[in-house]
Amino acid sequence: MEPAADPVGGQIQPPVARPGRARRPPLKGPSDQALDRLAGWYAIALRLGGAVLFTAVAVLAATKQISGWWLGVPLTALCSWSAFFTWRVRRSELTPTVVLADTAVISALALAQQHLVPAVLIKDNTTWMLPLACTSIYIMQIALRPRLALPGAAVVVVAYGLGSGHLADGWLLVAETIVVAGLVAVIRGGARQADEIVAASLETERQIRAEEARRADEREQHRQLHDTILSTLTMVAAGAFAERSPALTAQAAGDLRVLQGLAGAPAVPGGSAPLTDLRPELERVAASTGDLAVRLKLVPVTLPSPIADQLVACVGEALRNVEQHAGTGQAEVTVTGGAGWAHVKITDRGRGFDPAATPPSRRGIRESITGRMLAAGGRAAIASHPGAGTTVTVSWPA
């Protein structure tokens, strides 16, 4: 058996607020997620590269007044923390916990800078502790929201000022905090706006497809009226049935069922179709197959009602084909998807057939499956070989 073609990718769906429930924060879109990944790598480069660079600078700038013990222990702690920071970010991304811990480590080093840096460098404000403190501020601004990033930056500024002996020495860190926070806010805002535009575009496309499916359903209803009720009425008016006829009774009963089905079709206000859960519909179709044992592998999937009806009808037709033609008593229906998209495979291990050799008179697959899904804006594929079973795949959107 050959695998059926073309899996369907997911779509970005904008969050929908439900009445009566607390509104959840919106999920991050692709642009925000990409920025988070980039921020993680940038933070690793700052912390790990900074630790190596500033350790070398600290050793080279040390004088006799700097105790080797005082210098060695903090620098070893900085390098060890930087290695752990890198491992943690690679494993769990750039979380607020690890960023705030980094802030605490750098603040502690800044408070001890009079024991690590020659006094003349501190006086001239050329200490290597200043760019080290800057790396902590950069990491906070790119990783945390302003409600955490700005107080965290204030802690670093105060620690640097106290460690240098003059609180005003942290003015450069304050300026850098303002600039970096502004740049990050602009970039994050642009990313969120891009995600909102993409999500709105996809939602509009989904609504257009649903409206097209609704109109296709209306055309199908018109075809049913023409092919059944009007045909029956025409024969009666032409005198084709002069007496009571069981055939006429059966045909009229079938026509009545068509009319009841049309009358019971759900209205679609404003051109927007309600969503339908596929699970109970597919379970109903599987249970109606008589002697065919159908194994279901289902996940929660919701589609616009007109689309769901067409897809379920395709599955029903495929199962009837298995029951009538495959020469096997078993079939499997596998569903993947989510809110607004679905991918369904109907598989059997029966006798199979050659799709290219199917005569034009056999309209079941061409009209009831492939044609129906194309009209609904979806896709259908048939994979089969004689003796190798058959896989029918239907998906929406295409």
Side-chain angles (χ1 to χ4, degrees):
M1 184 186 308
E2 290 186 352
D6 303 335
V8 178
Q11 296 189 25
I12 303 171
Q13 297 292 339
V16 179
R18 296 185 178 181
R21 294 186 181 182
R23 187 173 183 180
R24 295 178 180 179
L27 297 176
K28 290 184 178 181
S31 299
D32 247 349
Q33 294 173 2
L35 283 176
D36 287 343
R37 289 192 295 270
L38 183 62
W41 285 108
Y42 182 67
I44 288 174
L46 282 177
R47 180 53 59 239
L48 196 58
V52 173
L53 175 62
F54 298 132
T55 297
V57 171
V59 172
L60 293 175
T63 61
K64 294 181 179 181
Q65 287 76 24
I66 302 298
S67 167
W69 174 260
W70 263 106
L71 189 63
V73 171
L75 291 181
T76 301
L78 173 63
C79 292
S80 300
W81 165 251
S82 300
F84 176 79
F85 180 90
T86 300
W87 172 80
R88 190 67 183 175
V89 173
R90 288 288 304 276
R91 182 181 179 184
S92 305
E93 299 183 346
L94 198 57
T95 61
T97 301
V98 73
V99 173
L100 293 177
D102 182 73
T103 302
V105 170
I106 301 305
S107 297
L109 289 173
L111 286 171
Q113 65 177 301
Q114 291 187 3
H115 300 281
L116 308 176
V117 182
V120 62
L121 298 181
I122 296 177
K123 183 178 179 181
D124 294 340
N125 210 19
T126 57
T127 166
W128 54 268
M129 190 63 68
L130 180 62
L132 179 63
C134 288
T135 62
S136 178
I137 287 177
Y138 294 158
I139 292 172
M140 275 188 287
Q141 301 311 309
I142 63 176
L144 303 179
R145 298 305 179 193
R147 64 177 180 271
L148 289 177
L150 295 179
V155 170
V156 175
V157 170
V158 171
Y160 180 83
L162 293 176
S164 67
H166 299 86
L167 196 59
D169 287 348
W171 68 268
L172 184 57
L173 296 177
V174 173
E176 290 190 351
T177 300
I178 295 172
V179 172
V180 175
L183 288 175
V184 170
V186 171
I187 294 172
R188 290 281 186 184
R192 284 191 292 270
Q193 185 176 11
D195 288 335
E196 289 171 0
I197 292 173
V198 171
S201 174
L202 291 174
E203 174 63 14
T204 300
E205 181 181 355
R206 187 192 68 81
Q207 292 179 357
I208 290 173
R209 289 181 182 274
E211 175 64 16
E212 290 174 348
R214 185 184 69 85
R215 293 184 179 180
D217 187 60
E218 289 179 351
R219 290 194 294 270
E220 178 66 20
Q221 293 177 5
H222 295 160
R223 286 195 293 269
Q224 291 179 15
L225 287 172
H226 179 272
D227 295 342
T228 56
I229 294 97
L230 293 180
S231 176
T232 303
L233 293 176
T234 299
M235 288 191 295
V236 172
F241 301 97
E243 300 177 357
R244 293 177 60 87
S245 168
L248 176 60
T249 302
Q251 187 167 342
D255 295 346
L256 180 60
R257 286 192 296 270
V258 172
L259 281 175
Q260 290 172 339
L262 296 181
V268 185
S272 135
L275 295 178
T276 295
D277 185 1
L278 280 185
R279 183 190 296 265
E281 298 295 323
L282 293 177
E283 290 175 344
R284 176 183 58 80
V285 169
S288 66
T289 55
D291 296 333
L292 183 66
V294 181
R295 181 184 179 189
L296 297 176
K297 294 182 178 180
L298 307 179
V299 297
V301 173
T302 54
L303 294 176
S305 293
I307 303 297
D309 293 342
Q310 298 297 324
L311 192 146
V312 170
C314 291
V315 173
E317 179 66 21
L319 291 176
R320 282 190 292 273
N321 286 341
V322 174
E323 190 174 13
Q324 296 172 10
H325 306 296
T328 180
Q330 295 182 340
E332 182 176 276
V333 177
T334 304
V335 178
T336 56
W341 70 280
H343 187 73
V344 183
K345 290 200 304 183
I346 306 95
T347 306
D348 70 78
R349 299 183 181 274
R351 61 174 60 99
F353 68 99
D354 183 2
T358 303
S361 59
R362 294 282 299 278
R363 303 169 60 87
I365 291 177
R366 187 172 65 254
E367 295 294 338
S368 298
I369 297 179
T370 305
R372 192 188 297 269
M373 289 309 300
L374 288 176
R379 178 183 301 171
I382 315 296
S384 183
H385 282 295
T390 301
T391 296
V392 177
T393 305
V394 291
S395 56
W396 190 89

